[in-house]
Amino acid sequence: MDSFLRKARRILNPKPVDTNNGDFEFEGKFYSDKEAAIRAKTRELIESGMTGKECVAERSAHSPKTGTSAQDWVLYEAYCAAVQPILDRERLAANPNEAARAAQQAQRKTVERVVVKFNAGYRYESVEMVAKLLGQSGLYFNRGGQLSRLLTLHEDKKDLDGTKRAAGSIIIKPAVAAAVVSDVSKLAEVQKYDGRHKTYVDCDLPDDIAQSVIAIGVEDARIKTLRGIVHVPILRLDGTIITTRGYDRQSQLYLAADVDWSEFDGPEEPTHEQAIAAANWLMDEIYGEFKTDEVGRSILLSSLLTAILRPYIDGSPLHCFDAPAYGAGKSLLAEVVGVVATGMKPPMSPPGETKEETMKVVASVIRSGDAVNVLDNISQPLTGDALCVALTAETVNIRVFGTNTMLRLQPSAFWMATGQNLTVSADMVRRSVIARIDPGIERPELSEFKKADLIGWVKEHRMEILSRLYTILRAHAQAGFPHGEGAAPRLGSFSGWARRVAGLCTWLGYGSPMKSQDVMYDEDPMRARRMTLLDAIYEWQESVTAPGFEVNRAGDRNKAAGTPWPVRELFV
């Protein structure tokens, strides 16, 4: 029985049946041979609408016997071939989910795909073929010398380091063998040579080949280098703007936003007046209800501009939002910047209680390629070597957790921080700007705003906001990056940012964001402790008259020259 079934299914193929020419007669029609008649009768049975139970009964009724004619053999083999398709049809009709999967598989088979064949002893050629395939997929990239894959989050997720990311976020993850095997099966028909049958048979990508691709695949030039992910139009060096989703080879950035950019518009050659009008509109519509001083308004404008420009400059200072009370809108300000820059709320990370925890947060953000990140609700003076490096370094070395592998990456994330009575300390002072929001009431969370849902309003008007931001950036670039009065000096760590953002703010009449550092230096707790110690030493030194005390001699020499020089000035 099984031999008959195998034979019937083998001869059932999609080739058309010619019924106009042939010598084999069956049911009043002529066919080229008996197998052609069987194929025609099988299709007729499948399309007749008979049930599987009826087909099984007819098959049994036409069971071959000694002396059975050729006509009876045709009927029997046709019923044998038609049984399984009819039963499958009934099963799929009773299970819609399985029917949908079957339809997808059928559609997949109709699409012409690349065939990748593997042979023993040709591993290098196999790795090269797969690397070429992955490079063309638009999902795999060279990230710091490591094969990495873009991953879309379909739900809100919280990492082990505490960073929260919203559904829809696209992050960069190290490639793993299971993902490579699955992705290759979507992109190509994988076959290996079967020595027993002397032919190629379908298979999954072997795990050892996938591991080899992960290990050395990045050496292939077709695996493109990825600097980071952006969600706004890409600004090329020649001034052109790219709105097509995908990888841009010139900037080495991946535009992840899958949106309609038809509403993104602006003048090709904007004037200084148009740039000022755009800046004033942004400040009035978005930040008009937040109470801050002139420096704070400059920092709010700087945060929007820096979020757009960060991938194109070597570093940018930490933008902090501070308030004297809870509920003043510190986190809301950071979320607004994130929505403008990415279309969704930005990842929120805890600052970390120790240097090790902060280092893990910073490393996670850099590896994931986040465009914006927020250190939320900081309750202690902010400092840390890892954060300093993330803000100023052109490249950083990050060790992959659990291994000795080092990745050399280019930080491209824009960092913000929020906190009540926020202070920064030590070397973070010169790497930060801070906007202080003071609602002037005891319980600001009870305040009513004209835009009750500011985040919703920003999402609705995002294209208009981006159009005005790019109007400002274009006007500044076409004018030769000028600056206005009170422009920040060419900062050693942020020269690009000082030229393209701080100078731009002064050019628009908003003052320099760097002026906030004057207050930050005075409030630095580490500097305050140091000054207290030096004042105590100075007071003690004045009461000591030991002739050999060198510091005292230095002070005496300056006093004799008419230039008093307190001891503490030697250390400040």
Side-chain angles (χ1 to χ4, degrees), residues 99-115:
R101 288 195 296 270
Q104 290 177 353
Q105 292 177 356
Q107 183 180 8
R108 177 180 169 186
K109 290 182 179 180
T110 61
V111 178
E112 185 176 354
R113 299 194 298 161
V114 178
V115 177

Side-chain angles (χ1 to χ4, degrees), residues 288-346:
E289 299 182 75
F290 291 90
K291 296 181 180 179
T292 184
D293 57 14
E294 180 182 351
V295 176
R297 287 176 60 81
S298 176
I299 293 171
L300 293 177
L301 178 60
S302 170
S303 64
L304 291 174
L305 297 170
T306 307
I308 303 297
L309 288 176
R310 178 61 183 91
Y312 313 101
I313 53 182
D314 292 340
S316 65
L318 176 71
H319 283 56
C320 305
F321 303 113
D322 168 48
Y326 296 111
K330 306 177 297 297
S331 298
L332 179 61
L333 290 172
E335 289 176 350
V336 165
V337 176
V339 171
V340 171
T342 67
M344 64 192 75
K345 290 185 178 181

Side-chain angles (χ1 to χ4, degrees), residues 135-414:
Q136 296 172 345
S137 69
L139 286 176
Y140 287 83
F141 297 93
N142 178 356
R143 174 78 168 159
Q146 181 184 52
L147 185 66
S148 302
R149 185 185 188 277
L150 298 182
L151 177 66
T152 302
L153 302 181
H154 297 291
E155 59 183 12
D156 295 349
K157 183 179 179 181
K158 183 177 181 179
D159 284 351
L160 295 177
D161 57 24
T163 300
K164 299 177 182 178
R165 294 182 176 88
S169 300
I170 296 180
I171 60 176
I172 306 171
K173 285 288 188 181
V176 295
V180 172
V181 172
S182 177
D183 289 332
V184 170
S185 70
K186 297 177 184 176
L187 300 169
E189 296 286 350
V190 183
Q191 298 178 349
K192 68 178 180 180
Y193 186 75
D194 188 341
R196 185 174 62 177
H197 296 92
K198 307 299 181 183
T199 186
Y200 285 93
V201 296
D202 293 340
C203 66
D204 287 330
L205 180 71
D207 284 344
D208 56 345
I209 299 295
Q211 294 289 356
S212 296
V213 172
I214 293 173
I216 63 174
V218 291
E219 298 177 3
D220 194 299
R222 286 163 290 203
I223 301 291
K224 307 175 188 68
T225 300
L226 180 65
R227 287 189 57 204
I229 299 174
V230 295
H231 303 263
V232 293
I234 295 175
L235 282 169
R236 283 184 171 175
L237 295 176
D238 58 4
T240 56
I241 296 178
I242 307 299
T243 58
T244 304
R245 189 175 191 265
Y247 180 79
D248 179 57
R249 184 178 293 273
Q250 187 180 90
S251 63
Q252 297 182 341
L253 296 172
Y254 186 91
L255 176 55
D258 188 13
V259 298
D260 181 12
W261 294 104
S262 59
E263 297 181 8
F264 175 76
D265 195 13
E268 291 292 333
E269 297 181 358
T271 63
H272 187 198
E273 291 72 20
Q274 288 175 318
I276 294 176
N280 292 338
W281 183 90
L282 292 170
M283 297 305 297
D284 293 340
E285 294 294 330
I286 301 177
Y287 301 120
E289 299 182 75
F290 291 90
K291 296 181 180 179
T292 184
D293 57 14
E294 180 182 351
V295 176
R297 287 176 60 81
S298 176
I299 293 171
L300 293 177
L301 178 60
S302 170
S303 64
L304 291 174
L305 297 170
T306 307
I308 303 297
L309 288 176
R310 178 61 183 91
Y312 313 101
I313 53 182
D314 292 340
S316 65
L318 176 71
H319 283 56
C320 305
F321 303 113
D322 168 48
Y326 296 111
K330 306 177 297 297
S331 298
L332 179 61
L333 290 172
E335 289 176 350
V336 165
V337 176
V339 171
V340 171
T342 67
M344 64 192 75
K345 290 185 178 181
M348 296 286 191
S349 303
E353 297 293 335
T354 63
K355 289 185 178 180
E356 290 74 15
E357 292 178 359
T358 303
M359 186 176 296
K360 290 180 180 179
V361 171
V362 172
S364 173
V365 171
I366 294 176
R367 284 202 316 272
S368 299
D370 294 318
V372 178
N373 191 267
V374 181
L375 298 173
D376 198 29
N377 290 324
I378 296 173
S379 58
Q380 56 186 357
L382 182 61
T383 185
D385 299 336
L387 189 55
C388 289
V389 171
L391 294 171
T392 58
E394 185 175 351
T395 59
V396 296
N397 291 326
I398 295 178
R399 184 173 63 87
V400 180
F401 293 149
T403 70
N404 291 325
T405 303
M406 297 295 292
L407 302 181
R408 189 175 181 84
L409 304 177
Q410 293 177 295
S412 60
F414 172 52

Side-chain angles (χ1 to χ4, degrees), residues 88-102:
D88 289 342
R89 182 180 62 197
E90 294 176 348
R91 176 171 52 83
L92 295 177
N95 191 337
N97 293 332
E98 189 173 350
R101 288 195 296 270

Side-chain angles (χ1 to χ4, degrees), residues 3 25 32 38 98 127 152 157 177 182 199 243 286 328 347 369 412 426 434 454 458 497 527 566:
S3 62
E25 182 181 2
S32 59
I38 293 173
E98 189 173 350
V127 171
T152 302
K157 183 179 179 181
S182 177
T199 186
T243 58
I286 301 177
S412 60
I434 186 166
L454 182 58
V458 170
W497 178 84
R527 184 174 183 273

Side-chain angles (χ1 to χ4, degrees), residues 46-59:
I46 293 174
E47 296 171 358
S48 66
M50 71 184 322
T51 65
K53 186 176 182 180
E54 292 172 346
C55 190
V56 171
E58 291 293 333
R59 183 183 65 181

